[in-house]
């Protein structure tokens, strides 16, 4: 099992990745981060906490009894993937990728694989 720092470093090796973090969806705070100094990962984690909360609230309102595998946000030049941890409720991995150099399918696959090795 990999620790948080190692998992985040491995996530940065995903093609196109430039920032990644493990965040707490209850507080919006990061438990660890890695990547580009020019990208405010702490602000992104806090903002994406609201995305996770809104989706969970919506699922509850419409009676969907399932778990979120991941949430994809597609921007003009970037992909942002939010992956709530199946093993630790309230925590999620967040990765930002450059669209021009990312393979979205592979990024989702690799993030899921990394989640399995993460020890919090």
């Amino acid at each position: 099992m990999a620790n948080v720092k190692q998992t985040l470093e491995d996530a940065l090796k995903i093609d196109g990745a430039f920032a990644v973090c493990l965040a707490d969806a209850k507080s919006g705070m990061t438990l660890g981060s890695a990547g580009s100094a020019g990208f405010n990962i702490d602000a992104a984690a806090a903002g994406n906490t609201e995305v996770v909360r809104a989706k969970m609230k919506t699922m509850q309102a419409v009676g969907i009894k399932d778990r979120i595998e991941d949430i994809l946000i597609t921007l003009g030049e970037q992909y942002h993937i939010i992956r709530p941890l199946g093993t630790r409720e309230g925590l999620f991995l967040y990765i930002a990728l450059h669209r021009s150099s990312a393979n979205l399918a592979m990024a989702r696959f690799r993030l899921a694989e990394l989640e399995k090795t993460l020890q919090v």
Side-chain angles (χ1 to χ4, degrees), residues 14-16 79 81 97-109:
I14 295 171
D15 287 345
Y79 292 126
I81 303 171
L97 307 116
H98 295 290
R99 280 182 74 168
S100 61
S101 55
N103 176 324
L104 183 56
M106 185 58 74
R108 291 181 70 228
F109 174 78

Side-chain angles (χ1 to χ4, degrees), residues 1-115:
M1 298 293 264
N3 66 20
V4 173
K5 182 178 179 181
Q6 184 61 52
T7 298
L8 297 176
E9 288 175 6
D10 289 345
L12 271 183
K13 295 175 185 172
I14 295 171
D15 287 345
F18 64 89
V20 63
C21 74
L22 176 66
D24 177 6
K26 295 175 184 164
S27 69
M29 298 182 73
T30 58
L31 302 175
S33 64
S36 181
F39 185 77
N40 189 340
I41 194 74
D42 293 321
N48 284 309
T49 293
E50 296 302 319
V51 173
V52 172
R53 288 180 191 163
K55 186 59 188 172
M56 291 174 67
K57 184 177 177 181
T58 301
M59 287 172 58
Q60 185 177 27
V62 298
I64 297 174
K65 297 180 188 325
D66 205 348
R67 71 181 274 287
I68 300 169
E69 184 174 321
D70 62 33
I71 299 168
L72 170 64
I73 299 168
T74 305
L75 305 176
E77 297 180 0
Q78 301 173 4
Y79 292 126
H80 293 216
I81 303 171
I82 302 164
R83 184 172 182 86
L85 300 186
T87 56
R88 293 294 298 258
E89 187 174 334
L91 299 182
F92 65 90
L93 286 168
Y94 166 70
I95 189 167
L97 307 116
H98 295 290
R99 280 182 74 168
S100 61
S101 55
N103 176 324
L104 183 56
M106 185 58 74
R108 291 181 70 228
F109 174 78
R110 287 287 299 131
L111 206 57
E113 290 296 307
L114 288 169
E115 177 192 352

